Amino acid sequence: MSAIPGLGLKKSAALAAEGSEGELYEARKQIYPQSVSGTFRNIKWALLTVGMLVYYFLPFVRWDRGPDLPSQAVLVDLANGRFYFFGIAIWPQEIYYFTGLLILASFTLFLMNAVAGRIWCGYLCPQTVWTDLFLLIERWTQGDRRDRIKKSKQPWSLETVTEAILKHSLWLMIAWWTGGAWVLYFADAPTLVKQLATFQAPAQAYIWILILTASTYILAGFAREQVCIYMCPWPRIQAALTDEYALNVTYRVDRGEPRGSLKKAKLLRAEGKPAGDCVDCEQCVVVCPTGVDIRGGLNMGCIQCGLCIDACDNVMKKVGRPTGLIGYDTDDNVRRRAEGLPALKPQIIRPRTLVYVALIVAVSAAMTYSFATRRSLGVDVMHDRNPIFVSLSDGSARNVYTVRVLNPKGFERNFKLSLVGLPQGKLAVMGEPVGDEAGVPVTAPPDQTLELRVTVTVPPDVKLPQSTPIQMILTDVATGEAVKKADYFKAP
C-alpha cells in the first residue's frame, strides 16, 4: 500500500482500516527541521552556494559585442526581440532553439529520475534551494529545532519579537534580491540598478520585483513542504517514470528491525534474540524538511535530499553500528532482501538510461549542427494580397512584395537583392533606382531587420501563365554568402 501524501505508512494504514480513504489535503502541521552535518548536507550547501552566486551575479557579467549592441553577457532583450547568451544571439524566428532546450531539459530530468529518483527535488529545485537558505536564517536568528519549538510555545517577549523581526527582515531582503535579480536579466543590469535606486525604473520592473518578492517570501518562508507535496506535479509524474532499478533514499528494514532503544537492543543481542540497528531515535524524521519518516517507506513527501542519511550515519557511528542503515538503494534490492537474497550493485547503465542518453545526444547534436550551420543573413518575402497584381497603362504587369532583410551581425552590411525565374522581369525597391542584372543594392543596419517594399515588373510583350514561380536571392557583397526565398509572380 502506498502512503497518503504527507502521511507515513502506519497512519495511512490506520485510515484504511477505519474504512476511510484519507483526505486529499491534510491541515499543515508546523515542521521544525533540525540542522545536520554530513556528506549530503555538504553537497547541498555547495550546490546552493554555486547556484546563488550564478543567479545573483550573472547579470553583471559583461560581454563585448561591438558598438551599439548590449554588453550584458546574458540578456533577454524583449524590446528588440533578442536573447543574448555570451557570444550567441537568438532571434524571434529561431524560437526552435528554446524548444530544443526545453526538450533537452525534459530528457535530462527523466534521466536523473531513472538514475536517482527525485534528485532534482532534493538538490537543485529552486523551492528546495531557497527553503534551505530561509531555514539557515531561521536557525541563525531563532536557534535550532528545540529552541524554535520551545519559543513557539512561549508568550511573546522582547527577545522573541526582536528575533522574529530580524528573521523576517532578512527573509524579505533575500526575497527582494531574488525578484530584483530576475528583472536584471531583462535590461542592462547596472543601468537598471541605478534606475531602481533613484526610482526612475519602468513601472513593470517594480511590479515584477514585488510579485517575485512576495512569492519567494511566501513559498520559501511559509509554504515550504506544502509546495512539494501538494503544488508541484513532478512527484506524481516521476512516479510513472521510475522503475525498480532507480536509486532512492531507502531504510534497510532487514537491518533496522525490530527497532528499539540501544539498551534494549544490547539485551536482546546478549540473549541471542534478533535486534535491529535502528535505535528509534527519530533523528531521520526531525532533520527531514518535509517531516517524512523514511522508515515507513517512500511517499510523495520525500524529496530524496539525503539529510536523513547523514543523520542516521551520525547516530550509527555514535552507537558503534555500521553506517548505511538509511541510504540510496533500489526497490529491486529491497525485494531481494525481503526474500533473503543478496543485494545487487545498482544498475545505472541499463536500457532505460541508455535511451535517455541517446535522446539527449541526438537532440544536442541536432541543435549543435543547426547552430553551426545557421546563416549570418536571412530574407523573407511576402506577396501583397490586395491586389495580387497590377496592370499598368502600357500593358506591363507588376507585383508588389514586402521583403525583410535580416542582418544579425553587429555591423552594417551591403547586400544585393536579385531575381531568378523571370528573365525579363525588373526588380526595384520603391523609392530607389531600378537595379541592374546583378541586383538591387541594399544596405542593412547592424543587428536589425530591414523592411523593403519591392516591385517586380514584366513588360507587356512577355506572355506568362497566371502563376510563375520565382526566387529572390540576397547576397552579401563582401563574403558572397547568399540565401534564397521562393514565391510566385501573378499575371492577368
Side-chain angles (χ1 to χ4, degrees):
M1 179 186 66
S2 62
I4 296 172
L7 303 179
L9 283 178
K10 290 184 178 181
K11 191 168 182 180
S12 299
L15 287 172
E18 295 172 4
S20 170
E21 295 182 358
E23 298 178 356
L24 292 177
Y25 180 83
E26 182 188 23
R28 183 173 187 258
K29 296 178 181 178
Q30 184 64 43
I31 296 175
Y32 301 90
Q34 182 173 294
S35 62
V36 64
S37 60
T39 301
F40 296 99
R41 178 66 271 180
N42 292 337
I43 293 173
K44 285 169 66 66
W45 284 137
L47 292 173
L48 182 151
T49 302
V50 172
M52 290 291 181
L53 289 174
V54 171
Y55 177 74
Y56 287 122
F57 293 103
L58 186 57
F60 297 96
V61 177
R62 303 290 93 185
W63 187 268
D64 184 14
R65 298 186 178 88
D68 302 323
L69 288 178
S71 60
Q72 188 162 310
V74 180
L75 176 65
V76 182
D77 189 358
L78 295 178
N80 297 304
R82 306 286 187 278
F83 171 68
Y84 298 101
F85 184 81
F86 293 90
I88 299 172
I90 304 297
W91 286 54
Q93 58 266 39
E94 296 174 318
I95 191 67
Y96 49 82
Y97 286 119
F98 292 101
T99 303
L101 288 175
L102 291 175
I103 294 173
L104 275 179
S106 298
F107 287 145
T108 302
L109 198 58
F110 297 162
L111 177 62
M112 293 169 66
N113 177 69
V115 172
R118 293 175 65 183
I119 190 172
W120 164 264
C121 301
Y123 297 90
L124 299 170
C125 175
Q127 172 66 16
T128 298
V129 172
W130 263 266
T131 298
D132 270 353
L133 184 58
F134 275 43
L135 279 171
L136 177 65
I137 292 172
E138 192 171 62
R139 294 189 186 106
W140 180 68
T141 56
Q142 296 180 317
D144 209 347
R145 171 184 165 83
R146 291 182 179 178
D147 295 326
R148 299 201 305 277
I149 292 176
K150 180 180 178 181
K151 291 174 183 177
S152 68
K153 298 177 181 179
Q154 294 176 344
W156 288 100
S157 64
L158 179 61
E159 179 186 5
T160 55
V161 169
T162 303
E163 290 175 348
I165 291 175
L166 178 59
K167 178 185 76 173
H168 288 281
S169 298
L170 292 173
W171 280 2
L172 284 170
M173 185 182 72
I174 292 174
W176 183 77
W177 271 106
T178 301
W182 178 257
V183 301
L184 296 182
Y185 286 93
F186 295 84
D188 183 67
T191 303
L192 185 56
V193 168
K194 183 178 179 180
Q195 291 175 340
L196 289 169
T198 57
F199 301 100
Q200 297 177 347
Q204 300 95 311
Y206 293 106
I207 292 171
W208 278 108
I209 290 175
L210 179 62
I211 292 173
L212 293 169
T213 298
S215 60
T216 304
Y217 177 69
I218 293 171
L219 295 180
F222 300 94
R224 292 185 177 174
E225 77 284 349
Q226 301 294 86
V227 175
C228 305
I229 297 173
Y230 296 105
M231 295 173 62
C232 180
W234 179 235
R236 290 136 182 96
I237 296 173
Q238 68 90 27
L241 295 173
T242 192
D243 60 18
E244 66 272 24
Y245 302 109
L247 291 166
N248 290 289
V249 175
T250 306
Y251 169 65
R252 288 279 303 274
V253 177
D254 59 305
R255 256 192 63 186
E257 303 297 327
R259 73 184 73 160
S261 66
L262 181 61
K263 182 178 180 180
K264 180 181 178 181
K266 288 182 178 180
L267 290 175
L268 290 173
R269 291 190 185 99
E271 296 173 1
K273 297 179 180 179
D277 285 346
C278 178
V279 296
D280 210 15
C281 62
E282 295 197 347
Q283 285 299 298
C284 56
V285 181
V286 298
V287 301
C288 179
T290 60
V292 168
D293 188 346
I294 193 64
R295 297 172 298 176
L298 288 176
N299 63 50
M300 284 189 289
C302 178
I303 62 172
Q304 305 284 303
C305 63
L307 296 183
C308 56
I309 300 177
D310 287 337
C312 187
D313 284 351
N314 291 339
V315 172
M316 290 297 103
K317 291 174 183 177
K318 291 179 181 178
V319 301
R321 304 298 297 172
T323 58
L325 179 59
I326 300 176
Y328 277 95
D329 205 353
T330 66
D331 286 348
D332 182 59
N333 277 340
V334 172
R335 176 188 59 80
R336 292 178 65 85
R337 290 192 184 97
E339 295 175 356
L341 301 174
L344 300 176
K345 291 184 178 180
Q347 301 178 31
I348 295 177
I349 301 176
R350 58 186 193 276
R352 179 186 291 264
T353 57
L354 290 176
V355 168
Y356 289 145
V357 170
L359 290 172
I360 291 171
V361 171
V363 175
S364 300
M367 289 183 62
T368 301
Y369 175 79
S370 174
F371 190 82
T373 58
R374 74 172 183 166
R375 296 184 179 274
S376 65
L377 71 161
V379 64
D380 189 32
V381 179
M382 292 186 295
H383 196 294
D384 275 13
R385 298 298 181 184
N386 188 21
I388 295 178
F389 64 89
V390 176
S391 296
L392 302 181
S393 58
D394 63 354
S396 301
R398 173 175 292 174
N399 285 195
V400 181
Y401 305 83
T402 298
V403 177
R404 292 190 176 95
V405 177
L406 169 67
N407 175 23
K409 297 293 186 179
F411 51 85
E412 185 178 86
R413 298 166 72 186
N414 295 316
F415 299 102
K416 283 284 187 177
L417 183 63
S418 56
L419 178 67
V420 174
L422 288 177
Q424 298 186 49
K426 297 295 183 181
L427 184 146
V429 176
M430 288 187 178
E432 299 290 338
V434 177
D436 54 24
E437 293 182 357
V440 177
V442 175
T443 300
D447 192 47
Q448 289 187 31
T449 298
L450 176 65
E451 186 171 297
L452 306 170
R453 294 285 287 170
V454 174
T455 63
V456 176
T457 307
V458 175
D461 57 337
V462 177
K463 302 300 180 183
L464 295 174
Q466 190 174 10
S467 182
T468 303
I470 62 171
Q471 284 185 333
M472 291 192 187
I473 303 176
L474 184 71
T475 306
D476 188 324
V477 175
T479 65
E481 182 182 4
V483 63
K484 302 177 181 179
K485 187 67 176 181
D487 209 293
Y488 290 89
F489 182 88
K490 303 295 183 178

